[in-house]
Amino acid sequence: MKGVAFDLDGVITDTAKFHFEAWSKLALEKFDLELPAEFESQLKGISRIESLERILAFGKLSGKYTPAQVAELADEKNTYYVAAISKLTQADILPGISQLLADLKAQQVKLSLASASKNAPMILEKLGLLTYFDAIVDPSKLKAGKPAPDIFIEAAKAVGLAPSECVGLEDASAGVAAIKAAGMVAVAIGDKEELAQADTVVSSTADLNYDLLVTSYQQAQGK
Ligand code: BG6
Ligand code: MG
């Protein structure tokens, strides 16, 4: 295992609730639409515009807005979201993650960030974790978002590695699908059934550590 590609939201910090709250506010204000709680997990790992398209489809509003209006609505959601995350600090790093990053660095494992979020560099900075990462993939430069493999292929390439030399960490099923399609070993955090495609699933980030990643990598590569 020479590299680890991290998802951000739900792996390093728990921003899913802020994304969902921002979408819920927009949907209620603009479309008089209440988003059911199940929507929160459906939007995990999905880009800003694609999330909006899913919400519009749910409200039977697909095609009702021009591309410029759609972009404006997405911007508005981002304004709500950025306000909500403005107070993030080191205290918002999920359990086990700071230690894991430090241990991986000490073992000279290359670290890259494979997040669909355009806010990722700003969030890492607020968490005080920016300097751990050797590369941050810019999601706006990719042809296709998760579950397509592009972001994880790029995360390996950006640190000079092949995907087969890396472990990908994800909390979303779309993200696990992207890791596997890229040819990486997938370690997932969350529900075992939802994330069954992963090579290893743990229920909390507190269960992650250097040895677990190495063991998962070795077992998966030996399969
Ligand atoms: C992902 C989140 O990390 O980033 C998604 O899981 C979100 O819910 C996506 O839509 C895009 O984020 P942003 O910050 O660019 O709107
Ligand atoms: Mg995530």
Side-chain angles (χ1 to χ4, degrees):
M1 184 184 76
K2 294 186 180 160
V4 175
F6 281 78
D7 175 45
L8 173 74
D9 293 321
V11 172
I12 293 176
T13 188
D14 188 13
T15 47
K17 59 179 181 294
F18 299 124
H19 278 295
F20 187 63
E21 277 165 22
W23 284 126
S24 299
K25 186 168 151 86
L26 185 91
L28 200 60
E29 275 174 12
K30 301 289 173 179
F31 322 129
D32 198 21
L33 183 68
E34 243 179 77
L35 296 182
E38 309 88 78
F39 238 90
E40 183 173 324
S41 69
Q42 286 175 34
L43 300 178
K44 281 185 188 169
I46 305 300
S47 77
R48 197 181 303 168
I49 288 290
E50 209 186 308
S51 299
L52 178 53
E53 277 159 7
R54 287 189 187 197
I55 291 165
L56 290 172
F58 172 73
K60 303 204 167 33
L61 297 164
S62 297
K64 287 218 170 169
Y65 296 90
T66 65
Q69 286 171 323
V70 168
E72 206 174 299
L73 288 163
D75 276 356
E76 206 157 323
K77 177 265 172 177
N78 193 51
T79 306
Y80 297 148
Y81 177 66
V82 169
I85 60 171
S86 67
K87 292 193 182 75
L88 286 181
T89 68
Q90 290 193 341
D92 297 294
I93 300 170
L94 283 168
I97 295 297
S98 296
Q99 189 64 52
L100 177 64
L101 288 167
D103 291 347
L104 288 167
K105 263 290 185 241
Q107 298 290 336
Q108 283 156 12
V109 174
K110 294 279 182 207
L111 302 181
S112 52
L113 193 80
S115 169
S117 174
K118 294 178 184 166
N119 292 299
M122 186 253 284
I123 293 173
L124 283 183
E125 162 119 74
K126 283 186 180 298
L127 300 174
L129 297 177
L130 201 51
T131 54
Y132 277 110
F133 288 87
D134 300 293
I136 296 177
V137 180
D138 178 353
S140 64
K141 297 223 169 84
L142 302 170
K143 280 207 189 92
K146 299 169 189 178
D150 307 33
I151 195 162
F152 285 99
I153 292 173
E154 198 49 47
K157 200 171 148 203
V159 292
L161 296 173
S164 61
E165 296 175 302
C166 304
V167 165
L169 288 179
E170 264 290 349
D171 69 314
S173 57
V176 170
I179 294 173
K180 293 311 296 173
M184 278 187 192
V185 171
V187 174
I189 305 101
D191 182 76
K192 278 205 165 56
E193 273 170 35
E194 192 194 328
L195 304 168
Q197 213 196 330
D199 297 287
T200 302
V201 184
V202 294
S203 56
S204 154
T205 57
D207 302 327
L208 295 172
N209 57 61
Y210 175 74
D211 288 342
L212 178 114
L213 296 196
V214 172
T215 307
S216 302
Y217 179 79
Q218 287 169 347
Q219 279 174 354
Q221 296 300 48
K223 261 180 203 168

